[in-house]
């Protein structure tokens, strides 16, 4: 279990991020077209998992914009933006922002992704949402970088994350 903060108030998560050198766990997430996506759908690509509470907050939307900008310059890399937002909200956000380089995925159905990756917040006003995190894996699915942002109101360290690739 990790402890982060929201507005300076402690918030616990259900577990810890995957360890560097471990393999990504399989997942079932819902895409904006309501199809189910699994880890197998991204096999052979480097993966940036940009995970956040809700695309409808300023910091979360900023992370999607920043990774969208970076994704256009990365070879053999897919950026998966994952939250518990409904796919409809994710699609509307990307359409309104003109974002085409990221793949929006939702954990709204079962929350299993959040459980398996230790990301569900257990208390506070964002209870049951995913904590702001970045997980990067190479093209073999090996985790090469993780960051769980210590204060939900802060953006991830994009430069450090992207340099891991």
């Amino acid at each position: 279990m990790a402890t982060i903060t929201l507005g300076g108030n402690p918030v616990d998560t259900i577990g810890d991020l995957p360890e560097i050198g471990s393999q990504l766990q399989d997942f079932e997430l819902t895409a904006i077209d309501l199809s189910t996506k699994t880890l197998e759908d991204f096999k052979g690509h480097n993966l940036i998992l940009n995970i956040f509470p809700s695309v409808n907050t300023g910091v979360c939307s900023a992370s999607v914009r920043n990774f969208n900008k970076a994704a256009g310059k990365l070879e053999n890399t897919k950026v998966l933006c994952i939250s518990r937002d409904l796919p409809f909200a994710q699609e509307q956000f990307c359409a309104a922002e003109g974002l085409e380089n990221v793949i929006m995925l939702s954990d709204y159905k079962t929350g299993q992704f959040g459980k398996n990756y230790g990301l569900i917040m257990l208390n506070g006003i964002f209870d049951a949402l995913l904590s702001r995190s970045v997980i990067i894996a190479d093209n073999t699915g090996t985790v090469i970088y993780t960051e769980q942002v210590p204060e939900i109101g802060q953006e991830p360290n994009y430069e450090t994350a992207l340099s891991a690739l």
Side-chain angles (χ1 to χ4, degrees):
M1 177 184 306
T3 300
I4 54 177
T5 59
L6 175 59
N9 298 310
V11 175
D12 296 319
T13 64
I14 199 167
D16 296 304
L17 293 178
E19 292 188 24
I20 303 295
S22 68
Q23 291 292 293
L24 286 178
Q25 291 187 51
D26 198 10
F27 53 76
E28 287 188 6
L29 295 166
T30 305
I32 60 174
D33 65 0
L34 302 181
S35 64
T36 299
K37 298 294 182 187
T38 67
L39 187 57
E40 183 69 21
D41 292 308
F42 307 104
K43 187 176 182 176
H45 292 92
N46 299 318
L47 294 178
I48 298 174
L49 281 59
N50 174 36
I51 305 153
F52 49 88
S54 176
V55 75
N56 290 316
T57 65
V59 177
C60 298
S61 59
S63 73
V64 175
R65 283 186 213 101
N66 279 307
F67 279 118
N68 181 74
K69 184 177 178 181
K73 301 172 187 168
L74 299 172
E75 292 186 29
N76 196 39
T77 301
K78 302 286 184 185
V79 177
L80 312 182
C81 293
I82 304 167
S83 69
R84 296 200 73 190
D85 290 304
L86 291 175
F88 313 113
Q90 293 176 333
E91 180 180 33
Q92 288 172 346
F93 172 79
C94 286
E97 296 281 332
L99 306 179
E100 298 179 351
N101 298 323
V102 295
I103 300 165
M104 300 297 284
L105 298 170
S106 178
D107 191 28
Y108 84 98
K109 284 186 178 179
T110 66
Q112 198 61 46
F113 172 84
K115 291 173 189 167
N116 289 347
Y117 281 78
L119 300 169
I120 296 176
M121 291 183 275
L122 297 174
N123 53 329
I125 61 171
F126 284 179
D127 181 35
L129 297 179
L130 304 177
S131 69
R132 185 176 325 287
S133 304
V134 177
I135 301 170
I136 299 180
D138 67 16
N139 62 0
T140 68
T142 301
V143 176
I144 59 173
Y145 175 86
T146 63
E147 176 189 10
Q148 187 165 47
V149 179
E151 166 58 47
I152 290 294
Q154 296 175 339
E155 293 182 55
N157 187 330
Y158 304 110
E159 187 176 314
T160 303
L162 293 169
S163 70
L165 289 171

